[in-house]
Amino acid sequence: TRLLTSGWWGMARKINYTGDWLITLSWCLLCGFHSPIPYFQAIYFLVLLIHRAIRDDGMCHEKYGDDWLEYKRRVPYLFIPYVI
């Protein structure tokens, strides 16, 4: 396969999205729990990342063909290793 199957990308296909979202969530947590308003950023960003991951999956399948299917077989997790 022409795709990276070792290191971080050998554990989850979009593991960098997980890190991005955790950073965004940490910014929200700094605001405390007195209001739900700061958490709209984390929720919005989560929806955006999920949508983008789904879109990327289709584009990568078109670009890499059978190699993408093999990559998905080798790296079954999308965001969090052994979870999702």
Side-chain angles (χ1 to χ4, degrees):
T1 181
R2 297 178 285 164
L3 297 160
L4 192 60
T5 57
S6 62
W8 289 104
W9 276 265
M11 294 190 291
R13 295 189 305 270
K14 300 292 182 185
I15 201 160
N16 58 313
Y17 288 11
T18 303
D20 291 344
W21 187 76
L22 287 173
I23 290 169
T24 300
L25 180 63
S26 70
W27 293 337
C28 297
L29 290 170
L30 290 172
C31 296
F33 298 100
H34 301 291
S35 172
I37 292 174
Y39 295 91
F40 286 124
Q41 169 63 25
I43 293 166
Y44 167 77
F45 196 48
L46 180 64
V47 170
L48 180 133
L49 291 175
I50 291 169
H51 179 264
R52 184 174 180 181
I54 293 167
R55 216 179 47 209
D56 285 351
D57 187 68
M59 289 188 292
C60 287
H61 186 262
E62 286 181 28
K63 182 176 181 177
Y64 298 109
D66 290 338
D67 284 342
W68 182 249
L69 298 176
E70 175 63 18
Y71 177 64
K72 286 176 68 171
R73 187 190 66 75
R74 288 187 191 183
V75 185
Y77 303 104
L78 188 57
F79 297 113
I80 303 171
Y82 307 105
V83 178
I84 186 170

